[in-house]
Amino acid sequence: MKKCFLLLFIFSIFFNSQAQIKIGDNLPSFTLKNIINKDVSSETFQNKYYLIDFWASWCAPCRKGNIELVKLYKTIDRSKFEIVGISIDTAIDKWKKAIEKDKIIFTQLIDPKGFDAKTAVLFGVEELPSQFLFDKQGKLIAINPTKAELIKILK
């Protein structure tokens, strides 16, 4: 019986370590719906820095972060940098209302299964907001970068 629990414990550690992406990993492949219900593939995220921002409409720190990201987005060179929001909201109407209220102008996608959403599991999202910065080659270079770190990288 103890061996069985030990085996399950070791398996769960291995499985969880595989789900969390790490610095140097490639941008995972996924396809999600945008606000007009069109498919958007991560395969199109190329030749720019990409900040992937996981959030939800019910998350107060996320909503505050949205306002800051909108300000940043208005000041950056979009030929070099793009922000992609991924909501894990389970209520699509609340997600759309939050986008409108927060005046988000950058790409918004939804994976509406909460923390069980495939992309949240793929990235290893355990808290919101969670951000992942990828370089022009699609390599993860920062997890939860500060605004100052983003500005430094983009100069």
Side-chain angles (χ1 to χ4, degrees):
M1 187 71 155
K2 287 183 182 180
K3 287 182 183 179
C4 183
F5 284 120
L6 181 60
L7 204 55
L8 285 173
F9 178 72
I10 291 170
F11 177 74
S12 71
I13 289 173
F14 176 75
F15 178 75
N16 287 336
S17 70
Q18 297 293 73
Q20 174 70 49
I21 62 172
K22 299 171 280 313
I23 300 296
D25 286 353
N26 288 323
L27 175 66
S29 179
F30 61 86
T31 300
L32 295 172
K33 299 286 187 189
N34 67 11
I35 195 162
I36 58 171
N37 206 34
K38 298 255 183 189
D39 285 340
V40 176
S41 170
S42 63
E43 302 293 323
T44 64
F45 303 164
Q46 299 174 3
N47 304 318
K48 295 182 186 184
Y49 285 90
Y50 278 88
L51 180 69
I52 308 297
D53 176 49
F54 283 87
W55 70 288
S57 64
W58 46 262
C59 168
C62 299
R63 302 296 295 277
K64 185 177 177 187
N66 285 345
I67 293 165
E68 293 304 313
L69 286 176
V70 168
K71 287 179 189 174
L72 176 66
Y73 192 71
K74 288 179 178 179
T75 66
I76 56 164
D77 181 350
R78 294 184 200 156
S79 69
K80 297 179 183 174
F81 180 76
E82 191 63 50
I83 301 171
V84 177
I86 299 178
S87 172
I88 60 169
D89 274 292
T90 55
I92 292 175
D93 59 324
K94 290 181 181 178
W95 167 61
K96 288 182 177 182
K97 286 178 186 171
I99 291 169
E100 184 178 335
K101 185 172 183 184
D102 295 351
K103 298 181 174 135
I104 300 173
I105 54 177
F106 48 87
T107 302
Q108 287 296 304
L109 308 174
I110 189 161
D111 197 347
K113 295 204 166 82
F115 283 100
D116 293 328
K118 286 182 182 180
T119 52
V121 172
L122 186 63
F123 279 77
V125 173
E126 295 177 350
E127 63 184 15
L128 294 178
S130 285
Q131 297 177 339
F132 301 85
L133 180 63
F134 294 87
D135 68 12
K136 293 178 181 183
Q137 290 74 41
K139 299 278 185 198
L140 181 62
I141 59 171
I143 297 173
N144 295 321
T146 65
K147 183 177 178 181
E149 289 171 327
L150 289 172
I151 291 169
K152 183 179 176 184
I153 289 168
L154 296 173
K155 284 192 173 184

